[in-house]
Amino acid sequence: MRVWRGMLLSHCAVLLTLAGCSKAPEPVVPAAAPTSDTGTSSVPPEAPATSEPPAESGLAIKRGIVTLAADRSSFRPCGEQKDLLLVDQTDGVLKREFAGEKDANGADQGLKLYVEAYGERAMDQPAPEGFAGTFLLEEALYAAPDGQTRGCGLPPQDYIVAARGNEPFWGVEVSEAELLWRQPEEPKEISIAAPQTQDSEGAVSFVAANAEHKIELLIEAQACRDDMSGEYFAYSARATLDGKKYAGCARVGNMSF
């Protein structure tokens, strides 16, 4: 699986053993424990929605609303008003993972999903009538029924990766500057500067430690579903806080816009 290309290219030498730095084709709302998207956690106040540039480059994570249909599915990028014909170059992951799900009106056709994905507009392909263009979906990174998450109502995230899990609830964000752990019980928040990164085929790990705590986070290129919300993630996560183990799902951040 081609992964991590949504990172800043300056991270390639460290993070892209999984995919390399060439053009390639899979939380969370800033990870918090618990998160409001799943109905299990609190998150910082919402930032105002912003209009996103088209970001034609395949290196940028695309965010938008996918409408699944039996014949022609569509993709509407966040901040835009017109649909693009969706050409699914995956193994049909969205239709498979959300098969049988119904929208708010009880319909299973035309299900709308908020999606974060790798893909790009097909500039050389004419679009059918009623579509403003064609979008080639190369890899679905995250998906949830539209309205279940804040989706396009939030600006692109600036973390490298965010992960979370349930029972016990936990969340972690990794940025260039720090690893931030959150959980309901004390200590509710742990911030450790300068996390160290190690990578191997199919996985990347982060380790951060200070005088009081040590946190290890392993992200693997393995599909994951939140067992409470049903959200789809392209990555699974395992974490260890001071020897206690946790499991959950992970979401790569968007640092390319």
Side-chain angles (χ1 to χ4, degrees):
M1 178 182 291
R2 297 180 293 171
V3 297
W4 301 111
R5 65 175 186 173
M7 308 287 184
L8 284 173
L9 296 182
S10 62
H11 288 287
C12 283
V14 179
L15 297 177
L16 296 184
T17 294
L18 307 186
C21 291
S22 62
K23 178 180 178 295
E26 118 186 225
V28 277
V29 187
T35 66
S36 63
D37 281 355
T38 63
T40 59
S41 59
S42 58
V43 294
E46 286 190 18
T50 58
S51 178
E52 298 180 35
E56 305 297 348
S57 169
L59 295 172
I61 292 176
K62 310 304 190 301
R63 309 187 314 142
I65 304 301
V66 166
T67 301
L68 297 178
D71 49 358
R72 290 177 174 177
S73 296
S74 65
F75 176 74
R76 178 175 293 190
C78 291
E80 298 191 20
Q81 302 300 316
K82 295 183 178 180
D83 291 336
L84 307 175
L85 176 68
L86 180 69
V87 176
D88 189 354
Q89 297 185 325
T90 73
D91 60 354
V93 60
L94 294 179
K95 287 187 175 181
R96 181 180 70 250
E97 292 291 335
F98 292 91
E101 299 233 5
K102 299 183 183 298
D103 63 19
N105 298 316
D108 57 4
Q109 292 297 317
L111 178 66
K112 294 183 182 298
L113 303 171
Y114 167 72
V115 171
E116 295 170 2
Y118 286 136
E120 56 191 330
R121 296 175 194 253
M123 307 304 292
D124 58 347
Q125 292 187 19
E129 184 177 357
F131 295 93
T134 299
F135 180 76
L136 304 179
L137 175 65
E138 298 176 10
E139 185 180 359
L141 304 176
Y142 169 84
D146 184 35
Q148 180 175 309
T149 72
R150 289 171 288 178
C152 288
L154 288 175
Q157 305 302 328
D158 60 359
Y159 50 70
I160 293 174
V161 65
R164 72 165 187 261
N166 306 317
E167 297 179 338
F169 298 111
W170 63 279
V172 62
E173 283 183 28
V174 180
S175 67
E176 292 186 84
E178 66 174 353
L179 184 151
L180 179 62
W181 178 277
R182 297 188 180 105
Q183 60 187 8
E185 65 272 8
E186 296 293 342
K188 293 186 176 182
E189 187 171 292
I190 302 170
S191 176
I192 304 178
Q196 301 299 305
T197 306
Q198 294 182 332
D199 52 281
S200 59
E201 185 175 357
V204 62
S205 62
F206 302 89
V207 179
N210 58 21
E212 293 82 25
H213 304 287
K214 181 178 181 180
I215 300 172
E216 299 172 273
L217 176 65
L218 176 67
I219 307 299
E220 296 181 287
Q222 182 177 23
C224 183
R225 293 293 294 270
D226 187 290
D227 55 10
M228 287 189 171
S229 69
E231 292 161 280
Y232 169 83
F233 300 78
Y235 301 100
S236 64
R238 287 183 285 164
T240 304
L241 169 61
D242 299 334
K244 184 176 180 180
K245 298 184 181 299
Y246 300 80
C249 302
R251 183 170 173 181
V252 295
N254 192 346
M255 303 184 71
S256 297
F257 282 128

